[in-house]
Amino acid sequence: MASYSDPTCGCGVCGSDVPPLIGSVLTGVGMTLAQAARALEEGREPNLTHVQREMVERWAEQQIGAGA
């Protein structure tokens, strides 16, 4: 599977890239944000791009802050 980030793009996601997230499903991973967060919490390493990992970590932080 191709990498979804372009190292020459400052933000890591460019117009020609596949979006890192469609709805709540991480593209190319087949997991939702919640599933990926749980996997990381359990010490598993899903095949996330750098951008996807940041999204999952941010999502998890927001859930903790919301008391979920």
Side-chain angles (χ1 to χ4, degrees):
M1 177 165 290
S3 173
Y4 296 132
S5 62
D6 180 352
T8 63
C9 179
C11 67
V13 179
C14 294
S16 64
D17 291 342
V18 174
L21 184 72
I22 297 176
S24 64
V25 178
L26 295 157
T27 307
V29 182
M31 300 175 100
T32 65
L33 289 167
Q35 291 168 327
R38 191 173 313 112
L40 290 174
E41 183 178 291
E42 293 171 351
R44 295 183 282 140
E45 289 292 325
N47 189 24
L48 303 172
T49 66
H50 174 73
V51 171
Q52 288 174 323
R53 186 176 186 100
E54 285 184 14
M55 292 172 75
V56 170
E57 289 172 351
R58 193 170 307 134
W59 181 90
E61 288 172 6
Q62 290 172 348
Q63 298 307 302
I64 292 169

